[in-house]
Amino acid sequence: MKIPGFLASAVPAGIKYQNRLDLGLILSRVPAVIAGVFTTNAVKAAPVIAGIERISHGPSYARAIVVNSGNANACTGDQGMKNVETTARLVAQALGIGPKDVLVSSTGVIGRPMPMERIEAAVPGLVAGLSEDGMEQVAQAILTTDLVTKTASRQIRVGGKIVTIGGIAKGSGMIAPSMGSPPHATMLAFLMTDAALDPAWARAALTRSTNATFNRIIVDGDTSTNDTVLLLANSMAGNLPLVGDADGKPFEQALHDVCAELARKIVEDGEGATKCVSVFVTGARTDESADAVARAIATSPLVKTAFFGEDPNWGRILAAAGRAETDLDQTRISLSIDDIPIVSQGIGLGDGQEALAKAAMSKRAFAVKIDLGLGAGSSQVVTCDLSADYVRINADYRT
Amino acid sequence: MKIPGFLASAVPAGIKYQNRLDLGLILSRVPAVIAGVFTTNAVKAAPVIAGIERISHGPSYARAIVVNSGNANACTGDQGMKNVETTARLVAQALGIGPKDVLVSSTGVIGRPMPMERIEAAVPGLVAGLSEDGMEQVAQAILTTDLVTKTASRQIRVGGKIVTIGGIAKGSGMIAPSMGSPPHATMLAFLMTDAALDPAWARAALTRSTNATFNRIIVDGDTSTNDTVLLLANSMAGNLPLVGDADGKPFEQALHDVCAELARKIVEDGEGATKCVSVFVTGARTDESADAVARAIATSPLVKTAFFGEDPNWGRILAAAGRAETDLDQTRISLSIDDIPIVSQGIGLGDGQEALAKAAMSKRAFAVKIDLGLGAGSSQVVTCDLSADYVRINADYRT
């Protein structure tokens, strides 16, 4: 994946593991408009605290993102904050740009000091390796418990110019992103485009896309200290800066689509996941109520283990709904797996329908559609199952 | 366990499995004051709907509880409600008492019709088997995924009389009871005493005890459609009816203690559980905030798998806290496992302390104590770990 005007590189810095890419760098050839959304968790990693400050109060333009896996630099106090600054400075010096031109991002274990001597030793090689072909390597370097790299891109025509939007992401566990204003995983996503964007509009568009995509995925329901989505837009396509007018719409749609594809890839690669399940809630009194129901279903261990078992155990789904929203009328609830109705008016439709639903659940991806029969509120989230592998992965993550 | 004036019996009715006790009966020799708290889940099982109606608007006295496992009689519509009535009537007729004298309770699979012909066939044997020694059999009959029976009892002196409080309970999965007014599992608990209690006071005391015990346990965070706690007080001890005065205090304490013992036994027998973990939150701005943090920690899959792995992964605990309460100051948080501090001012105290904590976590039971450093709010819940066995148990529960 190449995005015009962007170079990338990754090296094995030995941050947690040896001989594994764990430090990545993305560089725009020219200053790029920046936008970012970050975890709303009250416990924020040092690079998140620094990133929020940088995006909120710093210049609208930056040049580079340096990102490591293996260490979250979270719960690391003042030293953690200093280490963010030092990392930015080291990279800036090697690139010959200003330290404010470098954004820092981290993912990995919480509460361990960042091994700065390894970062410092790795920076020269990192910078020397920059190339137009390096983005896949960065996509590799940011992985933690992920099994596969996640990339997505779109090209559209904007104002007579072809523009490209490309993104890379990581995330497998601690995934229930709530980022931004208001935005939930450790998930990281870095989006690059050669489009010219108005800075304020870029931030608004990124927040809307994040709310509709990354903030609507759930692996385990745990929200990370490090969730970060950053967008760099470097103007090299030569379009007039987009501010949300007619030209903005197709761009925002493409941005949304890239985010949606990356978000779904995170769920598909969820820790131990064997199923990708779209949960649609309709007929709620309000969208907020629908959202609470969708998230309760998507985080219920009993529902998620039933997904793993390919068991259309709709009683667990209804129980999760009724826990989240106490103002339900169970006699109005209907439920389908894909397009196979299994509950009507709160009552099961029998073994025949359930057998069909079970067959649908044997697929790698399926949908749960619940209609509460009360109003026009709706919501949607994408989640995965809870497998024995999930437990295995997380019972010995650190040891 | 014997409680004066109470008889009990259980039979294998073949409701879901053959040759397993699954239908139980408790009978008071004389009319007993009744009190009950039920799930707040909007999706309520038929016997819960009937029980709320009965406790709220029916006579203050009853004689019997009939309870089955294997089938929750939940999401069963009008037929489910009729089946509750029929069950009460069948038992009442066999006992020679009124149908309103019989309370009905169920636990098991949601959404399947109750096999009434098996209930009807089993009632004569159930009634014929009543004896003072039958309570352990009922404790056996109400189990579902539970591995062990759960009983508790206390004797105290009240107004010159010895009174006995005994209870039986079941519950292993779908445990995050929220019962009553306001009360959370399928958990069932039946409490019997020979004390004389004022009916209104009995209900208030039961609600307080439930809120402090059953409503403070979490296995999986899923709240059942069937959670029920019932108390029968038959006055046979000969004390003057307790109304909350000086004599009420020791009784209520004993009631609380029986509930607390049963509640803890539910967590210890949680599906797949290998650890029983008490989560103490102090220093919150309010008790409500502390409670939200305690429940987030106790339901976090990442925290619970770390418990299973005996990994003092405090970063996951802090991340869960910060997800639940966004108004935290991470630099004020301290955390201990039992009495071993591992976090101070939001920063880890190092590998030595973690090694000690890890050793503490190798025990069957330990405590997580988190102080938020903000105020006087506090809360406590009791939970278990999330093991690979949990997944195995729940991925093929119905199949």
Side-chain angles (χ1 to χ4, degrees), chain B residues 252-309:
Chain B
E252 187 167 340
Q253 182 65 51
L255 177 66
H256 172 280
D257 291 349
V258 168
C259 292
E261 184 176 333
L262 292 172
R264 187 172 182 90
K265 285 177 172 173
I266 289 173
V267 176
E268 288 172 347
D269 195 20
E271 289 175 340
T274 73
K275 307 287 178 186
C276 185
V277 186
S278 300
V279 177
F280 297 90
V281 179
T282 54
R285 286 198 170 85
T286 63
D287 288 347
E288 293 68 26
S289 171
D291 204 53
V293 168
R295 290 178 187 277
I297 292 169
T299 53
S300 160
L302 288 171
V303 170
K304 293 169 88 77
T305 47
F307 290 162
F308 175 58

Short mmCIF file of all heavy atoms in Angstrom, two decimals, chain B residues 252-309:
data_model
loop_
_atom_site.label_atom_id
_atom_site.label_comp_id
_atom_site.label_asym_id
_atom_site.label_seq_id
_atom_site.Cartn_x
_atom_site.Cartn_y
_atom_site.Cartn_z
N GLU B 252 -31.51 -9.92 62.00
CA GLU B 252 -31.12 -9.44 60.66
C GLU B 252 -29.65 -9.73 60.38
O GLU B 252 -29.27 -10.07 59.25
CB GLU B 252 -31.41 -7.93 60.52
CG GLU B 252 -31.17 -7.46 59.10
CD GLU B 252 -31.73 -6.07 58.80
OE1 GLU B 252 -32.62 -5.61 59.53
OE2 GLU B 252 -31.28 -5.48 57.80
N GLN B 253 -28.80 -9.61 61.41
CA GLN B 253 -27.39 -9.95 61.22
C GLN B 253 -27.24 -11.43 60.83
O GLN B 253 -26.47 -11.78 59.93
CB GLN B 253 -26.60 -9.67 62.51
CG GLN B 253 -25.10 -9.95 62.37
CD GLN B 253 -24.43 -9.02 61.37
OE1 GLN B 253 -24.58 -7.80 61.43
NE2 GLN B 253 -23.71 -9.59 60.39
N ALA B 254 -27.98 -12.27 61.50
CA ALA B 254 -27.90 -13.71 61.19
C ALA B 254 -28.43 -13.99 59.78
O ALA B 254 -27.87 -14.81 59.03
CB ALA B 254 -28.68 -14.52 62.23
N LEU B 255 -29.52 -13.29 59.42
CA LEU B 255 -30.06 -13.44 58.06
C LEU B 255 -29.01 -13.01 57.04
O LEU B 255 -28.76 -13.70 56.03
CB LEU B 255 -31.33 -12.57 57.93
CG LEU B 255 -31.99 -12.57 56.55
CD1 LEU B 255 -32.54 -13.94 56.19
CD2 LEU B 255 -33.12 -11.52 56.51
N HIS B 256 -28.40 -11.85 57.30
CA HIS B 256 -27.32 -11.36 56.43
C HIS B 256 -26.21 -12.40 56.32
O HIS B 256 -25.69 -12.68 55.23
CB HIS B 256 -26.78 -10.04 56.99
CG HIS B 256 -25.55 -9.54 56.29
ND1 HIS B 256 -24.29 -10.04 56.57
CD2 HIS B 256 -25.38 -8.61 55.33
CE1 HIS B 256 -23.41 -9.43 55.80
NE2 HIS B 256 -24.04 -8.56 55.04
N ASP B 257 -25.82 -12.98 57.44
CA ASP B 257 -24.70 -13.92 57.44
C ASP B 257 -25.02 -15.18 56.63
O ASP B 257 -24.16 -15.70 55.91
CB ASP B 257 -24.32 -14.30 58.87
CG ASP B 257 -23.70 -13.13 59.63
OD1 ASP B 257 -23.37 -12.11 59.00
OD2 ASP B 257 -23.57 -13.25 60.87
N VAL B 258 -26.25 -15.65 56.75
CA VAL B 258 -26.66 -16.82 55.95
C VAL B 258 -26.61 -16.46 54.47
O VAL B 258 -26.09 -17.21 53.64
CB VAL B 258 -28.06 -17.31 56.37
CG1 VAL B 258 -28.60 -18.32 55.36
CG2 VAL B 258 -28.00 -17.92 57.77
N CYS B 259 -27.15 -15.28 54.13
CA CYS B 259 -27.14 -14.84 52.72
C CYS B 259 -25.70 -14.68 52.23
O CYS B 259 -25.36 -15.08 51.10
CB CYS B 259 -27.89 -13.52 52.57
SG CYS B 259 -29.67 -13.65 52.84
N ALA B 260 -24.85 -14.08 53.05
CA ALA B 260 -23.45 -13.85 52.64
C ALA B 260 -22.74 -15.19 52.41
O ALA B 260 -21.98 -15.34 51.44
CB ALA B 260 -22.71 -13.03 53.70
N GLU B 261 -23.00 -16.16 53.28
CA GLU B 261 -22.35 -17.46 53.12
C GLU B 261 -22.82 -18.15 51.84
O GLU B 261 -22.02 -18.70 51.07
CB GLU B 261 -22.62 -18.34 54.34
CG GLU B 261 -21.89 -19.67 54.28
CD GLU B 261 -22.08 -20.52 55.54
OE1 GLU B 261 -22.31 -19.95 56.63
OE2 GLU B 261 -22.01 -21.76 55.42
N LEU B 262 -24.12 -18.07 51.60
CA LEU B 262 -24.65 -18.68 50.37
C LEU B 262 -24.11 -17.96 49.13
O LEU B 262 -23.76 -18.58 48.13
CB LEU B 262 -26.18 -18.65 50.38
CG LEU B 262 -26.86 -19.55 51.43
CD1 LEU B 262 -28.36 -19.27 51.46
CD2 LEU B 262 -26.59 -21.03 51.15
N ALA B 263 -24.07 -16.62 49.21
CA ALA B 263 -23.58 -15.83 48.07
C ALA B 263 -22.14 -16.20 47.74
O ALA B 263 -21.78 -16.41 46.57
CB ALA B 263 -23.70 -14.34 48.38
N ARG B 264 -21.32 -16.29 48.76
CA ARG B 264 -19.91 -16.63 48.54
C ARG B 264 -19.80 -18.03 47.95
O ARG B 264 -18.96 -18.29 47.06
CB ARG B 264 -19.12 -16.53 49.84
CG ARG B 264 -17.64 -16.70 49.61
CD ARG B 264 -16.80 -16.43 50.84
NE ARG B 264 -15.40 -16.58 50.48
CZ ARG B 264 -14.64 -15.59 50.03
NH1 ARG B 264 -15.14 -14.40 49.89
NH2 ARG B 264 -13.38 -15.82 49.69
N LYS B 265 -20.63 -18.94 48.41
CA LYS B 265 -20.58 -20.32 47.88
C LYS B 265 -20.97 -20.34 46.40
O LYS B 265 -20.47 -21.17 45.63
CB LYS B 265 -21.48 -21.24 48.71
CG LYS B 265 -20.84 -21.57 50.06
CD LYS B 265 -21.73 -22.43 50.94
CE LYS B 265 -20.94 -22.87 52.18
NZ LYS B 265 -21.78 -23.57 53.18
N ILE B 266 -21.84 -19.43 46.00
CA ILE B 266 -22.19 -19.35 44.57
C ILE B 266 -20.95 -18.95 43.76
O ILE B 266 -20.65 -19.53 42.72
CB ILE B 266 -23.36 -18.37 44.35
CG1 ILE B 266 -24.66 -18.99 44.90
CG2 ILE B 266 -23.50 -18.00 42.88
CD1 ILE B 266 -25.85 -18.05 44.89
N VAL B 267 -20.24 -17.94 44.24
CA VAL B 267 -19.04 -17.50 43.50
C VAL B 267 -17.99 -18.59 43.48
O VAL B 267 -17.37 -18.86 42.44
CB VAL B 267 -18.46 -16.21 44.13
CG1 VAL B 267 -17.16 -15.83 43.43
CG2 VAL B 267 -19.46 -15.08 44.04
N GLU B 268 -17.79 -19.24 44.63
CA GLU B 268 -16.78 -20.31 44.69
C GLU B 268 -17.10 -21.43 43.70
O GLU B 268 -16.20 -22.10 43.19
CB GLU B 268 -16.70 -20.87 46.12
CG GLU B 268 -16.06 -19.90 47.10
CD GLU B 268 -16.15 -20.36 48.55
OE1 GLU B 268 -16.92 -21.31 48.85
OE2 GLU B 268 -15.46 -19.76 49.39
N ASP B 269 -18.40 -21.60 43.44
CA ASP B 269 -18.83 -22.64 42.50
C ASP B 269 -19.16 -22.05 41.14
O ASP B 269 -19.85 -22.65 40.32
CB ASP B 269 -20.06 -23.36 43.08
CG ASP B 269 -20.36 -24.68 42.35
OD1 ASP B 269 -19.46 -25.23 41.70
OD2 ASP B 269 -21.52 -25.14 42.44
N GLY B 270 -18.68 -20.82 40.88
CA GLY B 270 -18.92 -20.19 39.59
C GLY B 270 -18.43 -21.07 38.45
O GLY B 270 -17.46 -21.81 38.60
N GLU B 271 -19.12 -20.99 37.32
CA GLU B 271 -18.78 -21.84 36.17
C GLU B 271 -17.29 -21.75 35.84
O GLU B 271 -16.80 -20.68 35.47
CB GLU B 271 -19.64 -21.46 34.97
CG GLU B 271 -21.09 -21.88 35.17
CD GLU B 271 -22.03 -21.42 34.07
OE1 GLU B 271 -21.68 -20.47 33.34
OE2 GLU B 271 -23.10 -22.01 33.94
N GLY B 272 -16.58 -22.83 35.96
CA GLY B 272 -15.17 -22.88 35.62
C GLY B 272 -14.24 -22.19 36.60
O GLY B 272 -13.04 -22.12 36.37
N ALA B 273 -14.82 -21.64 37.69
CA ALA B 273 -14.01 -20.81 38.59
C ALA B 273 -12.92 -21.60 39.31
O ALA B 273 -13.17 -22.70 39.80
CB ALA B 273 -14.91 -20.12 39.61
N THR B 274 -11.74 -20.99 39.40
CA THR B 274 -10.66 -21.57 40.21
C THR B 274 -10.24 -20.60 41.32
O THR B 274 -9.44 -20.97 42.17
CB THR B 274 -9.43 -21.91 39.35
OG1 THR B 274 -8.74 -20.71 38.97
CG2 THR B 274 -9.82 -22.67 38.08
N LYS B 275 -10.77 -19.37 41.29
CA LYS B 275 -10.40 -18.35 42.27
C LYS B 275 -11.64 -17.61 42.76
O LYS B 275 -12.54 -17.34 41.97
CB LYS B 275 -9.47 -17.29 41.64
CG LYS B 275 -8.24 -17.82 40.95
CD LYS B 275 -7.21 -18.31 41.94
CE LYS B 275 -6.00 -18.89 41.18
NZ LYS B 275 -5.04 -19.52 42.12
N CYS B 276 -11.66 -17.25 44.02
CA CYS B 276 -12.70 -16.38 44.58
C CYS B 276 -12.03 -15.08 45.02
O CYS B 276 -11.15 -15.09 45.89
CB CYS B 276 -13.37 -17.08 45.76
SG CYS B 276 -14.76 -16.16 46.44
N VAL B 277 -12.41 -13.98 44.37
CA VAL B 277 -11.68 -12.73 44.54
C VAL B 277 -12.61 -11.65 45.10
O VAL B 277 -13.63 -11.33 44.51
CB VAL B 277 -11.11 -12.24 43.19
CG1 VAL B 277 -10.23 -11.00 43.40
CG2 VAL B 277 -10.33 -13.35 42.49
N SER B 278 -12.23 -11.10 46.24
CA SER B 278 -12.97 -9.98 46.81
C SER B 278 -12.36 -8.68 46.29
O SER B 278 -11.15 -8.47 46.41
CB SER B 278 -12.89 -10.00 48.33
OG SER B 278 -13.44 -11.20 48.83
N VAL B 279 -13.20 -7.86 45.70
CA VAL B 279 -12.73 -6.59 45.14
C VAL B 279 -13.21 -5.47 46.05
O VAL B 279 -14.42 -5.28 46.21
CB VAL B 279 -13.26 -6.37 43.71
CG1 VAL B 279 -12.82 -5.02 43.17
CG2 VAL B 279 -12.81 -7.51 42.80
N PHE B 280 -12.27 -4.76 46.65
CA PHE B 280 -12.60 -3.65 47.54
C PHE B 280 -12.19 -2.34 46.86
O PHE B 280 -11.02 -2.19 46.46
CB PHE B 280 -11.84 -3.75 48.86
CG PHE B 280 -12.18 -4.97 49.68
CD1 PHE B 280 -11.46 -6.15 49.53
CD2 PHE B 280 -13.21 -4.92 50.61
CE1 PHE B 280 -11.77 -7.28 50.29
CE2 PHE B 280 -13.52 -6.05 51.37
CZ PHE B 280 -12.80 -7.23 51.22
N VAL B 281 -13.12 -1.43 46.75
CA VAL B 281 -12.80 -0.11 46.19
C VAL B 281 -13.03 0.92 47.28
O VAL B 281 -14.11 0.97 47.88
CB VAL B 281 -13.68 0.21 44.98
CG1 VAL B 281 -13.36 1.60 44.43
CG2 VAL B 281 -13.50 -0.85 43.89
N THR B 282 -12.03 1.73 47.54
CA THR B 282 -12.16 2.83 48.50
C THR B 282 -11.68 4.12 47.85
O THR B 282 -11.10 4.10 46.76
CB THR B 282 -11.31 2.57 49.76
OG1 THR B 282 -9.95 2.32 49.35
CG2 THR B 282 -11.82 1.37 50.54
N GLY B 283 -11.93 5.23 48.52
CA GLY B 283 -11.39 6.51 48.05
C GLY B 283 -12.08 7.07 46.83
O GLY B 283 -11.57 7.97 46.18
N ALA B 284 -13.28 6.54 46.51
CA ALA B 284 -14.04 7.10 45.39
C ALA B 284 -14.77 8.36 45.85
O ALA B 284 -14.94 8.59 47.05
CB ALA B 284 -15.03 6.08 44.85
N ARG B 285 -15.21 9.14 44.89
CA ARG B 285 -15.94 10.35 45.27
C ARG B 285 -17.28 10.00 45.91
O ARG B 285 -17.74 10.69 46.80
CB ARG B 285 -16.15 11.25 44.05
CG ARG B 285 -14.87 11.95 43.61
CD ARG B 285 -15.15 13.16 42.71
NE ARG B 285 -13.93 13.92 42.51
CZ ARG B 285 -13.01 13.64 41.58
NH1 ARG B 285 -13.21 12.64 40.76
NH2 ARG B 285 -11.91 14.36 41.48
N THR B 286 -17.91 8.92 45.40
CA THR B 286 -19.21 8.49 45.94
C THR B 286 -19.23 6.97 46.01
O THR B 286 -18.43 6.29 45.34
CB THR B 286 -20.38 8.94 45.03
OG1 THR B 286 -20.22 8.28 43.76
CG2 THR B 286 -20.38 10.44 44.81
N ASP B 287 -20.14 6.44 46.78
CA ASP B 287 -20.31 4.99 46.83
C ASP B 287 -20.72 4.46 45.45
O ASP B 287 -20.30 3.36 45.05
CB ASP B 287 -21.39 4.59 47.85
CG ASP B 287 -20.93 4.79 49.29
OD1 ASP B 287 -19.73 4.99 49.52
OD2 ASP B 287 -21.80 4.73 50.19
N GLU B 288 -21.51 5.22 44.72
CA GLU B 288 -21.97 4.79 43.41
C GLU B 288 -20.80 4.66 42.44
O GLU B 288 -20.71 3.72 41.63
CB GLU B 288 -23.01 5.76 42.85
CG GLU B 288 -24.33 5.80 43.59
CD GLU B 288 -24.26 6.39 44.99
OE1 GLU B 288 -23.34 7.22 45.25
OE2 GLU B 288 -25.09 6.01 45.85
N SER B 289 -19.90 5.64 42.50
CA SER B 289 -18.71 5.60 41.65
C SER B 289 -17.85 4.39 42.03
O SER B 289 -17.35 3.66 41.17
CB SER B 289 -17.91 6.90 41.82
OG SER B 289 -16.66 6.79 41.19
N ALA B 290 -17.69 4.17 43.33
CA ALA B 290 -16.91 3.01 43.79
C ALA B 290 -17.54 1.71 43.29
O ALA B 290 -16.85 0.78 42.85
CB ALA B 290 -16.83 2.99 45.31
N ASP B 291 -18.86 1.68 43.32
CA ASP B 291 -19.56 0.47 42.89
C ASP B 291 -19.35 0.22 41.40
O ASP B 291 -19.14 -0.92 40.96
CB ASP B 291 -21.05 0.63 43.20
CG ASP B 291 -21.73 -0.71 43.34
OD1 ASP B 291 -21.24 -1.54 44.12
OD2 ASP B 291 -22.74 -0.94 42.64
N ALA B 292 -19.42 1.29 40.61
CA ALA B 292 -19.20 1.14 39.17
C ALA B 292 -17.79 0.61 38.89
O ALA B 292 -17.58 -0.25 38.02
CB ALA B 292 -19.41 2.49 38.47
N VAL B 293 -16.81 1.11 39.63
CA VAL B 293 -15.42 0.65 39.45
C VAL B 293 -15.29 -0.81 39.87
O VAL B 293 -14.69 -1.63 39.15
CB VAL B 293 -14.45 1.55 40.25
CG1 VAL B 293 -13.05 0.93 40.31
CG2 VAL B 293 -14.39 2.94 39.61
N ALA B 294 -15.87 -1.15 41.02
CA ALA B 294 -15.78 -2.54 41.51
C ALA B 294 -16.40 -3.51 40.49
O ALA B 294 -15.84 -4.56 40.18
CB ALA B 294 -16.47 -2.68 42.86
N ARG B 295 -17.55 -3.13 39.95
CA ARG B 295 -18.23 -4.02 39.01
C ARG B 295 -17.49 -4.11 37.67
O ARG B 295 -17.48 -5.15 37.02
CB ARG B 295 -19.69 -3.58 38.82
CG ARG B 295 -20.52 -3.84 40.07
CD ARG B 295 -21.96 -3.39 39.98
NE ARG B 295 -22.61 -3.53 41.27
CZ ARG B 295 -23.13 -4.68 41.72
NH1 ARG B 295 -23.13 -5.75 40.98
NH2 ARG B 295 -23.67 -4.73 42.93
N ALA B 296 -16.89 -3.01 37.24
CA ALA B 296 -16.10 -3.04 36.00
C ALA B 296 -14.90 -3.97 36.16
O ALA B 296 -14.56 -4.75 35.26
CB ALA B 296 -15.64 -1.63 35.62
N ILE B 297 -14.23 -3.90 37.31
CA ILE B 297 -13.07 -4.79 37.55
C ILE B 297 -13.55 -6.24 37.57
O ILE B 297 -12.94 -7.12 36.96
CB ILE B 297 -12.38 -4.40 38.88
CG1 ILE B 297 -11.71 -3.03 38.74
CG2 ILE B 297 -11.39 -5.48 39.32
CD1 ILE B 297 -11.21 -2.44 40.05
N ALA B 298 -14.68 -6.47 38.26
CA ALA B 298 -15.16 -7.85 38.44
C ALA B 298 -15.74 -8.46 37.17
O ALA B 298 -15.90 -9.68 37.09
CB ALA B 298 -16.20 -7.89 39.56
N THR B 299 -16.06 -7.64 36.19
CA THR B 299 -16.60 -8.17 34.94
C THR B 299 -15.61 -8.12 33.78
O THR B 299 -15.89 -8.65 32.71
CB THR B 299 -17.88 -7.43 34.49
OG1 THR B 299 -17.62 -6.03 34.46
CG2 THR B 299 -19.04 -7.71 35.43
N SER B 300 -14.47 -7.48 33.97
CA SER B 300 -13.50 -7.35 32.87
C SER B 300 -12.93 -8.72 32.48
O SER B 300 -12.28 -9.39 33.30
CB SER B 300 -12.35 -6.43 33.30
OG SER B 300 -11.23 -6.68 32.48
N PRO B 301 -13.11 -9.14 31.24
CA PRO B 301 -12.53 -10.42 30.82
C PRO B 301 -11.00 -10.44 30.97
O PRO B 301 -10.42 -11.46 31.31
CB PRO B 301 -12.93 -10.54 29.34
CG PRO B 301 -14.10 -9.64 29.18
CD PRO B 301 -13.91 -8.52 30.17
N LEU B 302 -10.37 -9.30 30.70
CA LEU B 302 -8.90 -9.27 30.81
C LEU B 302 -8.45 -9.39 32.27
O LEU B 302 -7.46 -10.06 32.57
CB LEU B 302 -8.35 -7.98 30.18
CG LEU B 302 -8.43 -7.96 28.65
CD1 LEU B 302 -8.08 -6.58 28.11
CD2 LEU B 302 -7.51 -9.01 28.04
N VAL B 303 -9.18 -8.75 33.17
CA VAL B 303 -8.84 -8.89 34.59
C VAL B 303 -9.09 -10.33 35.05
O VAL B 303 -8.25 -10.94 35.72
CB VAL B 303 -9.66 -7.90 35.44
CG1 VAL B 303 -9.50 -8.20 36.93
CG2 VAL B 303 -9.26 -6.46 35.13
N LYS B 304 -10.22 -10.89 34.63
CA LYS B 304 -10.60 -12.22 35.11
C LYS B 304 -9.68 -13.32 34.56
O LYS B 304 -9.39 -14.30 35.25
CB LYS B 304 -12.07 -12.51 34.76
CG LYS B 304 -13.04 -11.59 35.51
CD LYS B 304 -14.46 -11.68 34.98
CE LYS B 304 -15.27 -12.76 35.62
NZ LYS B 304 -15.75 -12.41 36.96
N THR B 305 -9.22 -13.15 33.31
CA THR B 305 -8.27 -14.13 32.79
C THR B 305 -6.91 -13.98 33.48
O THR B 305 -6.20 -14.96 33.68
CB THR B 305 -8.10 -14.01 31.26
OG1 THR B 305 -7.91 -12.64 30.90
CG2 THR B 305 -9.33 -14.53 30.53
N ALA B 306 -6.57 -12.75 33.88
CA ALA B 306 -5.31 -12.56 34.63
C ALA B 306 -5.43 -13.23 36.00
O ALA B 306 -4.46 -13.82 36.50
CB ALA B 306 -4.98 -11.08 34.78
N PHE B 307 -6.60 -13.15 36.63
CA PHE B 307 -6.81 -13.89 37.89
C PHE B 307 -6.56 -15.38 37.66
O PHE B 307 -5.87 -16.03 38.43
CB PHE B 307 -8.24 -13.70 38.41
CG PHE B 307 -8.56 -12.32 38.92
CD1 PHE B 307 -9.90 -11.92 39.06
CD2 PHE B 307 -7.57 -11.41 39.31
CE1 PHE B 307 -10.23 -10.67 39.55
CE2 PHE B 307 -7.89 -10.15 39.79
CZ PHE B 307 -9.23 -9.78 39.90
N PHE B 308 -7.14 -15.88 36.58
CA PHE B 308 -6.98 -17.31 36.26
C PHE B 308 -5.50 -17.64 36.08
O PHE B 308 -5.00 -18.67 36.54
CB PHE B 308 -7.78 -17.65 35.00
CG PHE B 308 -7.60 -19.05 34.50
CD1 PHE B 308 -7.89 -20.14 35.30
CD2 PHE B 308 -7.15 -19.30 33.21
CE1 PHE B 308 -7.73 -21.44 34.83
CE2 PHE B 308 -7.00 -20.58 32.73
CZ PHE B 308 -7.28 -21.67 33.55
N GLY B 309 -4.78 -16.73 35.41
CA GLY B 309 -3.35 -16.94 35.16
C GLY B 309 -2.46 -16.59 36.34
O GLY B 309 -1.25 -16.67 36.24
#
